[in-house]
Amino acid sequence: MVAFDVTSLVPASVWNEGPTPGALQEMLDSIDKHTEQVRSDLFYNMMSSLAGSADPSVLKAMASLDGISSSSGTEQWVAQHANKYMEMQEHVAKLQAELKAAQAAADLEATLKEFKGFLDNGQFNDAAYHLVQLRKILEDTSSSSSSDNGGYSKGSMPLASAELMQLQEACTHCTRDLEEALESSLAEAFDCALDHGVITITSALPGGGDVGDLWGAMELAGSAERHLAAIADKLLQQVLPHVLNGTALLHCQLSGESEARIQWYAAQPQPDGSFSTEHVEQACMQLLALLAQALFRQRPSTLREFGGCFWGGFVGQYQAAFLQQVQGSSVALLQARQEAARQMEQQAVAVGLAEPGSDLASCLSRAIQQSYHVVQEQYLAEARELLASHDRLAPPVVVGQPLPLDAGFYQRYKEGKVKAWEVLDPPSGWDVSGPVLATGYYHVSATVLQQVMMIDDALAHACHQGDISMAQAIVGAVSKMSAMFSSMLPAPAAADAPSLALLRHNDLQYLAGHLLVLPFLFGPELKALLGSYVWLGNDALRLRGAARAAFNDVVSGQQASIRQELQPLLQWSAALAAGKPMPPKEAEAAAAARDKATPATLYTLRRAGKDLWGTLAPGVALEASQQLLDTLAGLLVGDVLKKQDIGESEAYELVQLYRPLAEKAVQELLGDVDLSSQGSLEGLDLRDLVAGALRHRCGVLRKLDAVLGLLAARLAAIVDAWERGQLAAAGLSLVEVRRLVVALFEDTDYRAQCLQRMECCE
């Protein structure tokens, strides 16, 4: 550090005149001037050290000082030198880019010249190697060009872009020239005269080089797979199909080391019109050996790639031809063909066309098994055709047997000697000694009957053939046919066509029931073949599940219709409970809707009953009818029991509104359906029996009758009915009866005593 004498900044006037104002001002000016000089020197030294780094951002910052510095300051000098330095850097970068482009152009020209020379001399491997190198240079140049575009040098960008375009054009031309040369040479090496049945293979290329070099060049250029696939397609499509089916004889000849011929010509049929396939495997082995030696020159990579294009298709064609030829063949012939196929595959593995472990003999065993699959597919095709021709509007067919009824039970029923528990508990008038599967008459489609006949014919055929694999295939076909019946036939919309939806329910149930009896029809024969009984219970359960879904959809739709038709009645009841007068027009409209609700609801029941009892078996129709009556009665009972205060006039009007529905619902639901043929007993009116069964089974309907009776009863009569157990038998609980009593009668001591009596009797 250099010592600085501060006294040098003190002017002589201070020493001479003393600290006068003028002398002091002169001294301050001297100090300011020295401070500016020191600051400029420090700034210059700092900028000089930063400029040496050649950082573009620093140079740009230094150049920008020209606009903010004084006209004679140090900053202006720094800015001028920074601009000059930046211009020199850009000029040097431009010269370097031009030199690089010139060198690249010279290198490219030399590479293209070498490529052309190799191509003209038939040195395809060297030409392909140069093309690969050229592609690598193009890839590297593209990557470096994209990264260099972010630099500060603008002059290098056009040169890099021009260089890249030149490389791309060169690669395109070289690729095209090489591909044309390779295709031309391959056409000379593999000359196909398919119309004349001749393929000539020339190993030594007329233009120079060997066919092995040709494949090496194709592998480097990335075009070998395409050409190998084309050769495989010609063999598989034009040559081998005729050889494998015996209609053509194949002759392979190798002439020296440079030429081979493959010829095929028409074979003479045998006396029975068939063609001999005795020498098929031997001819195929000669073909594979000739291709490996003459065309592919035993190149492992080429043979492996050709095998990937050829071997799978060949195995498929051989397997298909074998499958057609072994129909009706003896076991000895099948074994001989399998052994010949094993030898052929061993040769393919030895030359590298096939991978070890792909057992062709096993494929032939699978081909034999496939013949059973063909039989299965035939049955499935027939089933598809049947289902595709299904006419949903075709007239249904009546099936079933009359219900086996107990004559003694119904005689006592007519005399009124049958108790309620006898109706509710099995056998409920059923003759247990009658047919087990007799469930009455019902409708099914003609399609399901044909499907059942088809299943029976298929299993009968399996039993007649006596072949284990055939039996397994046909049993599998039966399972698939049942699944097809459920999935292929479209389910009708329950809301739009309830009768068709119910018919689908019957079809599915009918097919499921038949699947369950198949073990009894064909069990012994199939057990002898398969070692166990055939059980299709899971398929039957799936069909029954689909049938139940169709049934539930229909019943749900009918229940929704009943709810919709009852809405005017329920709304009128709510208006009565509210006790508020409605405007005249609204009251008139509500009364009109109320008057139409009961006939509309009864009509809905009649229409639903026609669909149910006209399509379903009696037991199923009885179940659906009970659900509809439960819905109807449940809505009415719920409406009455939820009321907290019921006046005398309101109770009377509720009885007048709901009593017709409670009394006529069962008869309207049965409608005009003829049930006379459903039972096995003559002279028995099944209609009355079904109506009685409905009333017995529909507990909510009995509950509705009891509730309507309570609306018009005296309090003493209600207490007496409860004590006798009549209300409990009708399904009313103490809570419900108590709620109804509180709503009907005023709060008096007598009402409290009556409620106490009922609670004591519980």
Side-chain angles (χ1 to χ4, degrees), residues 730-747:
L732 285 167
S733 66
L734 177 61
V735 175
E736 293 171 331
V737 176
R738 178 184 178 86
R739 181 185 304 156
L740 194 58
V741 169
V742 171
L744 287 170
F745 300 99
E746 295 181 357
D747 186 10

Side-chain angles (χ1 to χ4, degrees), residues 604-618:
T604 300
L605 287 173
R606 176 180 287 269
R607 187 177 58 185
K610 182 179 180 181
D611 292 332
L612 296 174
W613 291 96
T615 306
L616 300 173

Side-chain angles (χ1 to χ4, degrees), residues 404-426:
L405 302 179
D406 185 353
F409 176 89
Y410 287 102
Q411 181 62 37
R412 292 189 297 111
Y413 182 83
K414 291 171 60 177
E415 297 173 356
K417 298 179 180 179
V418 175
K419 299 180 181 180
W421 66 265
E422 291 185 85
V423 177
L424 297 176
D425 293 342

Side-chain angles (χ1 to χ4, degrees), residues 340-358:
R342 186 176 292 107
Q343 295 176 3
M344 181 173 60
E345 184 182 29
Q346 289 175 353
Q347 179 185 358
V349 173
V351 299
L353 288 175
E355 295 291 336
S358 55

